[in-house]
Amino acid sequence: RKEVEQDPGPFNVPEGATVAFNCTYSNSASQSFFWYRQDCRKEPKLLMSVYSSGNEDGRFTAQLNRASQYISLLIRDSKLSDSATYLCVVLRGAGTASKLTFGTGTRLQVTL
Amino acid sequence: DAGVTQSPTHLIKTRGQQVTLRCSPKSGHDTVSWYQQALGQGPQFIFQYYEEEERQRGNFPDRFSGHQFPNYSSELNVNALLLGDSALYLCASSIDNEQFFGPGTRLTVL
């Protein structure tokens, strides 16, 4: 079983739609969680961290359920510019012992 | 403030050859991690360098080796290249837990 699992998609949604991605992780020792965005043929960039209490950044809302070991990302009012691959990332350890593990990514295509 | 830089941007090699990829971290960052991203996959952790030593290693063979220099820049070396080594190689620098990625080196092995 992969340490971080995501539905690879693609998710094809019209502009203005709300879309949600889920991600599960297998290691209960995972400490921190993130969503990264990766545009085609570009490097991943941090979109947002995910906190147990849930957090929101504009149209993006991230939630963490430690008991069920899943993370979600909700995008409201989708824009064409949201088209990208969204990578779920978990962190174990700290400092030089820290290690990021990436999911395979979920591809989102927003259309007119 | 320059972010993470990597060179070269693209590289084509043949099976059996050796390759060296280079990374300069973001200013003020002392830790460098390398990742391999195959097409359609998420980045896979190769190893991490701090204070010129390899601190952690992912599930990659010894053909993959690295180095960190006193100025925190780093190299990734891959020997005896295989077709399956074709991928985007990403370098990330960090201080604390947030990692910033470079644009990557796209390696094609023929």
Side-chain angles (χ1 to χ4, degrees):
Chain A
R1 183 185 172 190
K2 288 184 179 179
E3 189 169 342
V4 181
E5 296 209 56
Q6 294 181 253
D7 180 344
F11 284 57
N12 294 300
V13 302
E15 220 179 358
T18 295
V19 62
F21 307 137
N22 291 325
C23 163
T24 59
Y25 60 95
S26 61
N27 194 322
S28 59
S30 300
Q31 296 160 277
S32 301
F33 309 88
F34 310 90
W35 284 101
Y36 275 70
R37 171 191 168 129
Q38 186 171 27
D39 293 296
C40 187
R41 305 183 78 81
K42 299 285 189 181
E43 73 274 22
K45 292 185 179 177
L46 179 65
L47 178 66
M48 60 197 301
S49 302
V50 188
Y51 303 118
S52 296
S53 54
N55 49 301
E56 190 173 306
D57 182 3
R59 298 181 294 109
F60 299 83
T61 301
Q63 292 201 313
L64 165 66
N65 184 320
R66 285 189 183 270
S68 302
Q69 295 184 196
Y70 84 77
I71 306 145
S72 64
L73 177 67
L74 183 78
I75 305 176
R76 290 182 300 277
D77 188 22
S78 299
K79 311 290 184 191
L80 293 175
S81 57
D82 293 335
S83 298
T85 295
Y86 291 83
L87 296 159
C88 175
V89 186
V90 304
L91 174 77
R92 278 190 288 125
T96 56
S98 65
K99 180 186 168 185
L100 288 180
T101 302
F102 287 76
T104 56
T106 298
R107 193 154 63 91
L108 172 65
Q109 183 67 50
V110 181
T111 57
L112 287 170
Chain B
D1 174 30
V4 180
T5 59
Q6 292 186 243
S7 64
T9 54
H10 295 82
L11 204 50
I12 299 175
K13 292 285 189 179
T14 56
R15 278 180 299 176
Q17 285 190 309
Q18 179 265 342
V19 68
T20 297
L21 310 182
R22 295 177 178 82
C23 170
S24 290
K26 189 174 168 65
S27 178
H29 287 189
D30 56 7
T31 303
V32 173
S33 301
W34 286 91
Y35 294 83
Q36 180 196 66
Q37 186 174 24
L39 199 62
Q41 301 296 315
Q44 298 294 308
F45 176 74
I46 303 175
F47 41 54
Q48 181 185 78
Y49 277 85
Y50 172 71
E51 291 188 336
E52 303 179 52
E53 288 189 15
E54 183 183 294
R55 299 291 177 160
Q56 288 196 81
R57 189 178 183 91
N59 189 24
F60 279 80
D62 292 345
R63 298 187 296 110
F64 289 76
S65 63
H67 189 77
Q68 186 179 34
F69 299 94
N71 67 353
Y72 308 125
S73 67
S74 176
E75 288 182 350
L76 163 65
N77 300 291
V78 187
N79 294 322
L81 284 166
L82 304 174
L83 295 178
D85 294 332
S86 296
L88 178 68
Y89 287 85
L90 294 160
C91 168
S93 72
S94 58
I95 190 162
D96 298 329
N97 288 330
E98 184 174 354
Q99 296 201 2
F100 293 82
F101 284 85
T105 294
R106 191 163 295 280
L107 172 65
T108 302
V109 182
L110 302 176

